[in-house]
Amino acid sequence: MINKLIINSDDLGMTPSITKGIIDGYKEGVITSTTVLMNSPYAKESLEAVKDLNIGVGVHLNVTFLKPLTQGKSFLIDNRFKKPHEYDYINIDAEELYEEWKAQIDAFIKMTGHKPTHLDAHHNIQDYYPDVYRRLSRKYDLPVRKLNHVINDYEPVPVIHFKDDLCHIEDFAKICESHTGTIEIMTHSGYCDDELEKLSSYSTGREEELSFWKDPHVKEYLNNNNIELISFKDIKISPHED
């Protein structure tokens, strides 16, 4: 049985409806953490909306959605990011990727005045470029999500990819009971509207996830099993040698 749980809802700022859903999931449910798409036109207003909340806010590093902040040729097409299917085996120049992701992190710091709590990536692109990820983690001293664990100098945190087909208390209990220590549940919660349906293939499922995290039975299960809700602000760093 786990004793600590991070519930991270990706895609803050994708649309206003996503941002509102994440905030409601924090205020009325058990969401503890989120990551923002810094190249979204809604990034600034989304960060403003959560600035007074105790929710952890990281950067959702992106190289597949909307327009980039830099001009790297290996990920650019028609002045926008290539979509996943437009990449040749996700073949991206590592230095261009580093500069783009660095720009996204720096934009967060400029808007908020502080570092994000952690890093993860849209469409799990991070798993293709662990060296870039590690370099950014070292530069900013931040934990970073990998597909199945957090890498680099932080306590291990296995990651569970949660979707609408798991929105049952029995499935949630199985997740909690089949792991120990701390885990992160990666969720995509939010409200669905016409704008979201145009941008994402995963739309109505986000509302189902949000409803689940607001279900009082989830909080009751956590309380009954002494599972503490935390965010990446609570993840311990271990010293490393450069």
Side-chain angles (χ1 to χ4, degrees), residues 2-241:
I2 63 171
N3 55 26
K4 294 181 180 180
L5 174 62
I6 298 168
I7 302 177
N8 188 91
S9 191
D10 290 358
D11 297 341
L12 184 77
M14 177 177 278
T15 66
S17 63
I18 292 295
T19 297
K20 185 179 187 310
I22 291 171
I23 292 172
D24 287 353
Y26 165 79
K27 290 182 175 180
E28 303 170 24
V30 294
I31 291 174
T32 64
S33 177
T34 186
T35 39
V36 60
L37 289 156
M38 287 308 304
N39 66 323
S40 167
Y42 303 115
K44 186 173 183 179
E45 67 181 63
S46 296
L47 289 171
E48 184 71 20
V50 300
K51 72 175 185 178
D52 294 326
L53 305 180
N54 195 35
I55 189 171
V57 184
V59 174
H60 201 42
L61 299 171
N62 175 29
V63 73
T64 57
F65 179 72
L66 300 179
K67 294 182 178 181
L69 301 184
T70 61
Q71 294 296 314
K73 294 180 180 179
S74 62
F75 50 66
L76 195 63
I77 184 171
D78 298 330
N79 200 34
R80 61 165 173 81
F81 277 134
K82 295 177 181 177
K83 297 178 181 178
H85 70 273
E86 293 173 318
Y87 281 102
D88 181 16
Y89 301 105
I90 316 295
N91 186 17
I92 304 170
D93 181 272
E95 192 60 31
E96 289 181 351
L97 182 63
Y98 174 82
E99 291 299 327
E100 172 62 31
W101 281 357
K102 179 178 179 296
Q104 293 176 22
I105 299 167
D106 289 343
F108 178 98
I109 294 171
K110 184 177 181 180
M111 284 186 189
T112 64
H114 57 79
K115 294 195 303 182
T117 56
H118 67 294
L119 307 173
D120 57 36
H122 198 47
H123 292 136
N124 292 316
I125 299 296
Q126 73 271 19
D127 278 8
Y128 294 89
Y129 291 91
D131 291 342
V132 173
Y133 223 34
R134 180 179 295 276
R135 189 175 166 194
L136 290 164
S137 176
R138 287 280 174 94
K139 177 174 177 58
Y140 293 95
D141 285 328
L142 293 172
V144 293
R145 176 203 291 157
K146 215 167 177 292
L147 189 59
N148 60 345
H149 61 90
V150 172
I151 62 171
N152 195 43
D153 304 326
Y154 293 82
E155 61 178 280
V157 181
V159 177
I160 310 300
H161 190 174
F162 195 88
K163 293 199 74 173
D164 53 346
D165 59 350
L166 293 173
C167 290
H168 308 281
I169 195 67
E170 296 82 6
D171 290 317
F172 178 64
K174 287 179 183 177
I175 292 171
C176 295
E177 292 163 14
S178 60
H179 295 81
T180 59
T182 302
I183 66 169
E184 175 198 0
I185 290 182
M186 173 179 60
T187 182
H188 293 81
S189 300
Y191 297 114
C192 179
D193 60 12
D194 291 343
E195 184 176 11
L196 176 64
E197 289 187 334
K198 292 176 182 177
L199 290 173
S200 175
S201 60
Y202 190 59
S203 53
T204 56
R206 296 176 189 257
E207 291 199 352
E208 292 186 44
E209 291 190 43
L210 177 59
S211 294
F212 181 75
W213 299 125
K214 291 165 64 177
D215 187 333
H217 291 99
V218 175
K219 185 172 288 188
E220 181 183 15
Y221 174 85
L222 294 172
N223 290 336
N224 289 343
N225 289 280
N226 299 311
I227 297 172
E228 180 184 2
L229 288 169
I230 65 169
S231 74
F232 281 95
K233 293 183 289 186
D234 305 301
I235 297 298
K236 296 178 182 178
I237 185 170
S238 301
H240 66 262
E241 295 181 3

